[in-house]
Structure formats: structure tokens, C-alpha cells
Amino acid sequence: MNPQSNSRGALVAKLVVLAALLAFPLVGSAFYTEMVAKVLVMAIFAMSLDLLVGFTGLVSLGHAAYFGIAAYAVALLTPKYDPASLWVALPVAVLGAALAAFVIGIFVLRTKGIYFIMVTLAFAQMAYYVFHDTPVGGGSDGIYINFKPEAAIAGWAPFDLNEPLHMYYFIVAALVLVFGFLTLLLRSPFGKVLVGIRSNEHRMQSLGYATFRYKLAAFTVAGGLAGVAGFLYGVLFGFVTPEYLSWHQSGNVLMMVILGGMGNLAGAVVGAFAFIGLQEVFSGWTKHWQLLMGGVIVAAVLFMPGGLSALPRRLYKKFKEERIHG
Amino acid sequence: MDFTTFLIQILNSLQYGLLLFLVASGLTLVFGIMGIINLAHGSFYMIGAYLAFALTSLTGNLMLSIALGIPLAFVFGALLEWLLFAHLYKRDHLEQVLLTYGLILIFEELRSLAVGDDVHGVDIPALFSASIPLSDTLSYPVYRILISAVCLLLAAGLWWLMQRTKLGMMIRAGSHDRDMVQALGIDINLLYRTVFALGVVLAALAGMLAAPISSVYPGMGSSVLIISFVIVVIGGIGSVWGALVAALLIGFADTFGKVLLPDLAGLAVYVLMAVVLLWRPEGIFKKG
């Protein structure tokens, strides 16, 4: 089964969603446009984690570290009274996140299974404390990004991120690029090796693949893409706090991946919409919205294995069974 | 650092390490025997601390509250196993991580609904409120020594239970081959329920004992959970003995980290973990 369905229907569905995203600011209010922008950033974040969890079989519970490191990179690169150059800040943030993932990956990928879950969590916590306990990034209060990075090339600016619409379309473009990049990556021989590692690492090893290197490469790429999301998130909201690296953030993004269905890039996007949608609805009802969120998570695990994107398939299967037996 | 201060730091390290052992032993027991990774374990610690606060407000006596709290925690643990965790044994780790993550959110909000988000203090019982003088200016509180003694007793008790009793033998056999133990006529469901409830009691007891010294505050379960994970990883998952050694190491790393490098105290523990994992990716005492 090819997780990235090539069928015409799936392609049409993706194009319809893209068209809806492009048209949204024309019909939605500024408030909802910013919220959709936030969801799209989280969708990039969720896709980057899905590369590890869904495709390579590495359940990381510390993915927020790379998201947060990139966000802090922008904040620290932005001069106090001037904007940073987008063409410097973006690559530095993304490469910084990727480098952190590379170094941490060397440690954590020595472990497997449950150890991996715990160790990724612990390393992310280490990064959290670096920003929480030291004055580098403003300590526990975090740090403001007073000026959004400026896109000027030799004095000419093709767009201006201070314009909410420009910011929105910049994020949509990033989503499309990351989606396209991951789709190509997963179709490449490299991607096939990752999927092979997920189903049976020993077999891949005996076939002669140096699986550690492949996993490290996947971990680094996933960290860099989480960095893209972290960069966008920091720029969108104009501040960064240690909470960006917290393990609750890692838990939430993992939840988005599962909710949408693992091993399915479009699913990660759906999961981000579902998760933040629920969060908005619940927090409109009560201050204690996390209680409802927790309830949904528990219920989802108990009653909905495979996530939302597996739901149509499961319903279809049930429908067919009933036709046969009923 | 003069000798008396040094001595006090050593005692503090031991006390903190032993307390962490109580929490981590439950975590590693439940994982090692039932194969469940339980992120909500830190919540049991928090629940214990709040239970101590609530019961002490009622009874006015921490010791009495602990005596009441232990059976309550046991029943709570057994109920939780029956309602939720019993459905997780055959699921993969990812689903266990998720469900227990959801539980953390639920427990944290229920706590907020029930007692609010204030920080509370719990009084040390009058009987143990004295201090032992170590020098002219420094003294060490009896209550902390009591905590260490209780934790040491429990560690010994746990070892005895697992290695020397019939129940321990059944538990160990059950962790290797569930079906075989069941075929021998032992009620494996009851056995697992007991082990899980025991894990809850250990974490809750640690929370109750810690309440007077660390006070009772929202999110207190989270930090303890992460440290317990580090301990379980360093010690080797499923190894109670490894958890004890690792907890003591962490106690020392954290206490002396705070004294020697106050700015980076939160890091010391994780650096220790990184070093251990480079040396032994599966912990110091890997379980066969």
C-alpha cells in the first residue's frame, strides 16, 4: 500500500484544499486568517514529526526542541531596533535546528523503542532548561521579536511579512514546499529505505544498509523542518518562550500526527486542523478546556485506532462487512 | 564549602534521591512487569501531595493523613487499572504514550477544578519538627531523616516482596509469560491490578512525604515525571535495583549542581543521562 496515494481523487482533493487555503483570507476575518495561519504552521511541524513517527518508526517525544531552537534563533538574530534579513534568519534558524537534531540524534539513535521515547523527551527537556534557566533568551519570560524579518534583496522587497496577508501566503507557500519536498523525499530510494527501517530494521541491515546513517539523516531533516515551523511560529506571533520547547508542545504535536493518522502527510495537516479546532472550541466553552482535550485524547486512543484519516477506510470496511454478513 | 555544609548537601542528596526512587520504582515496576509506559505516573505523585494537603486540612495530622491516603491511593490505582490501563497491555507504546498523556491533562484540570491553582504548604508533624545540630550554626531537620528512613525501608521491603515472597515470584513469572502463569491457575488480571495499584501507592506516598518540604503546587507532577524517566533510563528499564542506584546518582547530581552551578542546575541531571547513555545505551543495569 502506498501511503502517499497517487490517485487522481487524492490529487483533486489536495488542489481543492489548496484553493480553499488561498481564497480563505478573502472571505475570512483577520482573526480567523491568523488562526488558520497558526494551524498551517503546526501542520508543517506535524508533517516533520510524521517523517520520524509515521515513516521511519521513530517515536520522538522531544520534537518541540527543534521547533523552539529555530524560534529562538530568529529572536536572537533580530537586532533590538531593526529587522533581521529573512534571507539570513530563515536559513540560520533552519540549519540551527537541523544541527541540533544531528547532534542529539547521534545520542538518541543509539537507543531503541521505549528508550528512544524517553531519551528524546529528556534531551528536549535539556534544551528547555538551557532557555529557561539562562539569560540567553530572556529566561522564563522569553523574548520578543519586535521586528519581523525583512525580505529585501538589495533594497527591493518582494513582500513584507508585517502585512498579515503577506505573512499568511508566505506560510501557505512554506506548507506547499514542505509537503512537496517530503513527498519527493519519501518517493526517493532514501524514503523507501526509511519505510523499510520502520517495518524491519534488521532486514535492512542484513541487506547492507547502514541504517543508523539513514535514521540520523531522517532525524536531521525532521529537525530542520520542525525548525521551519518554529521560525514561522516565532515570526507570526512575535515572541518566543521556553514553553515552545516544553514537552507539552511535543505531546501536542504527536497528538496531531496520531489524530490525523500516522504515515500520511495529508493526515498530519488534517490532524493539526482537528487538534487546534478542538482546542479553540473547547477553550470557548470553559477555562478548563484541557480536561475536554484530555478526554478526547483518551477516547481517541481507546475507540479510534489509526486516527481520523483511517476513519473513512474503517467505515467503508465495516459497511462492506455488513453487506456481506447482513 | 565547609565540611558541615558539605555534610548537609550529602544528606540532602540522599534524601532527594531516595524520594525520587519511590516514584521511579513504581514507574519501572509497571513498565518492567506490564510493559506499559505511563506518562501519568507523575500525576500520581501530584495527587499524593494534594491528598496529603486535603487530608491534613481535615485531620490536622500528616501522619494520620498518610495512613488514610495509602489505602485511598491503592483503591484509586486499582480502579484506574480496571477502567483504562487494562485495555493497554496489548497496545503499542505509542498508544500508551498518548492515552497517558491525555490522562495528565485530565488530572491536572481536575486538580485545578477541585482545589484551584494556589500553592499550598503542609505542616511538618510536631513530633518530627525538630532539628539535629551539626555545628554551631547549622542543623539538619529530623523530618528529612525520617523520609530517607521510610524510603530505605520501602526499598528493602520491595526487594523482599519481589525476591522472597510467593507473590513476588508470581509477579516476576507473569512479566515473562503471561499466558503460562494464567494456565497455572493464577488470576493474572488481579495480579496486574495489584502491581499497578502498588505503583500508584509508591508515587502517591512519595508525594505525601514530600508535601511539607517541597510544598504543593500545580504542575509538580510534570517535573518529577521527567526526572523519574531519566532515572528509569539510566538505571535500565524494569530494574528496581537500577532505579535505586540511578535515583541516588540523580539526587547527588541535582543537589550539587544547584550548589556548584546554580544557573544551570536543571541541566546537570540531563548531562549525567547523556554521559551514561553514551557509555551504555540501555542503562547501567540492563534487564536481560
Side-chain angles (χ1 to χ4, degrees), chain A residues 9-39:
Chain A
L11 181 65
V12 170
K14 279 169 199 158
L15 288 176
V16 169
V17 170
L18 179 60
L21 288 178
L22 289 173
F24 186 77
L26 309 176
V27 287
S29 66
F31 174 77
Y32 281 108
T33 303
E34 191 182 73
M35 190 182 295
V36 174
K38 176 185 166 186
V39 173

Side-chain angles (χ1 to χ4, degrees), chain A residues 292-305:
Chain A
L292 299 169
M293 205 71 206
V296 168
I297 294 176
V298 170
V301 174
L302 287 179
F303 306 115
M304 209 176 66

Side-chain angles (χ1 to χ4, degrees), chain B residues 32-55:
Chain B
I33 289 164
M34 311 197 283
I36 283 192
I37 172 163
N38 178 17
L39 290 187
H41 194 70
S43 302
F44 303 148
Y45 174 81
M46 175 196 76
I47 289 169
Y50 272 91
L51 204 57
F53 163 68
L55 289 174

Side-chain angles (χ1 to χ4, degrees), chain B residues 185-210:
Chain B
I186 293 160
D187 187 345
I188 193 89
N189 293 327
L190 188 67
L191 196 64
Y192 273 32
R193 197 153 299 157
T194 312
V195 172
F196 187 83
L198 190 67
V200 174
V201 167
L202 288 171
L205 179 62
M208 292 190 262
L209 287 170

Side-chain angles (χ1 to χ4, degrees), chain A residues 239-276:
Chain A
F239 65 88
V240 184
T241 79
E243 293 313 307
Y244 283 28
L245 295 89
S246 74
W247 77 283
H248 284 284
Q249 176 89 318
S250 295
N252 286 343
V253 69
L254 188 58
M255 190 57 216
M256 291 175 203
V257 172
I258 313 290
L259 203 59
M262 290 179 293
N264 182 332
L265 292 177
V269 179
V270 173
F273 266 97
F275 188 87
I276 295 175

Side-chain angles (χ1 to χ4, degrees), chain A residues 59 107 110 114-115 118-119 121-122 125-126 133-134 247-248 252 255 258 262 288 290-291 297 301-302, chain B residues 31 37 91 94 98 101 104-105 109 112-113 222 229 233 236-237 263-264 267 270 273 277-278 282:
Chain A
V59 181
F107 285 84
R110 291 162 57 86
I114 188 98
Y115 277 88
M118 291 191 178
V119 173
L121 172 68
Q125 207 61 14
M126 208 191 283
D133 289 359
T134 64
W247 77 283
H248 284 284
N252 286 343
M255 190 57 216
I258 313 290
M262 290 179 293
H288 299 284
Q290 298 226 51
L291 183 61
I297 294 176
V301 174
L302 287 179
Chain B
F31 182 78
I37 172 163
R91 300 292 195 90
L94 188 60
L98 274 174
Y101 178 70
I104 293 179
L105 301 182
E109 290 291 350
S112 174
L113 278 168
S222 214
F229 266 17
V233 166
I237 292 171
D263 284 345
L264 284 170
L267 268 179
Y270 302 102
M273 182 195 66
L277 284 175
L278 268 184
E282 302 210 323

